[in-house]
């Protein structure tokens, strides 16, 4: 599992995945006529991506040979939590939904930190997750701000 060279495809996919965050956050600020649509798209995309990053832990649980049975079970359990956090946002207004998504991304990053202390992952994984999480959270915060 340990490959320290940062794959070009990971860079394209990871950073490319920030485009909707940045675009919808920016549009929610500068285009008031359609602000509610852009903010909804931003939060929906955030929910989808939060579910995706949680699912990474399912994949780690299936494939990492260094995991104990308890660590594997914990990773499986955690892997569905971000999807549940994302799902509950459909029941709330934009401010609460945005804040819940930000909290979900921060919780996910904290789980990534725990994971990296337990097993050997590529050296680029955690710095990438920090950069992607930071941009996602800032974009979601802009979406929350656009309500006011």
């Amino acid at each position: 599992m340990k490959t320290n060279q940062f794959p070009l495809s990971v860079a394209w996919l990871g950073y490319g995945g920030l485009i909707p965050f940045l675009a919808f956050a920016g549009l929610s600020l500068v285009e008031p006529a359609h602000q509610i649509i852009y903010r909804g798209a931003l939060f929906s995309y955030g929910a989808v991506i939060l579910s995706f990053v949680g699912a990474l832990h399912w994949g780690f649980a299936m494939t990492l040979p260094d995991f104990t049975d308890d660590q594997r079970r914990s990773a499986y359990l955690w892997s569905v939590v971000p999807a549940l956090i994302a799902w509950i946002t459909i029941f709330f207004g934009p401010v609460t939904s945005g804040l819940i998504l930000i909290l979900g991304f921060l919780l996910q990053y904290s789980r990534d930190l725990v994971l990296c202390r337990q097993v050997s992952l590529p050296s680029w994984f955690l710095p990438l997750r920090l950069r992607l999480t930071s941009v996602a959270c800032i974009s979601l915060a802009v979406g929350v701000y656009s309500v006011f």
Side-chain angles (χ1 to χ4, degrees), residues 34-135:
H34 300 100
Q35 181 181 71
I36 195 166
I37 294 168
Y38 297 133
R39 190 173 47 242
L42 172 64
F43 293 161
S44 295
Y45 184 70
V48 168
I49 297 303
L50 181 58
S51 298
F52 171 79
V53 294
L56 292 174
H57 285 247
W58 185 284
F60 291 140
M62 288 191 312
T63 60
L64 288 176
D66 301 347
F67 265 5
T68 66
D69 287 342
D70 286 342
Q71 289 170 323
R72 197 171 309 284
R73 191 172 16 263
S74 177
Y76 281 130
L77 287 170
W78 172 258
S79 72
V80 299
V81 170
L84 294 173
I85 291 171
W87 172 70
I88 64 168
T89 64
I90 66 171
F91 299 106
F92 297 101
V95 172
T96 304
S97 293
L99 294 175
I100 290 171
L101 287 169
I102 291 168
L103 176 64
F105 276 102
L106 295 175
L107 288 171
Q108 176 60 45
Y109 183 73
S110 73
R111 290 298 299 178
D112 292 340
L113 285 171
V114 169
L115 176 71
C116 286
R117 288 187 197 116
Q118 294 174 339
V119 297
S120 178
L121 290 175
S123 60
W124 52 261
F125 176 76
L126 201 55
L128 176 67
R129 289 288 303 119
L130 177 60
R131 289 188 294 269
L132 298 178
T133 298
S134 297
V135 173

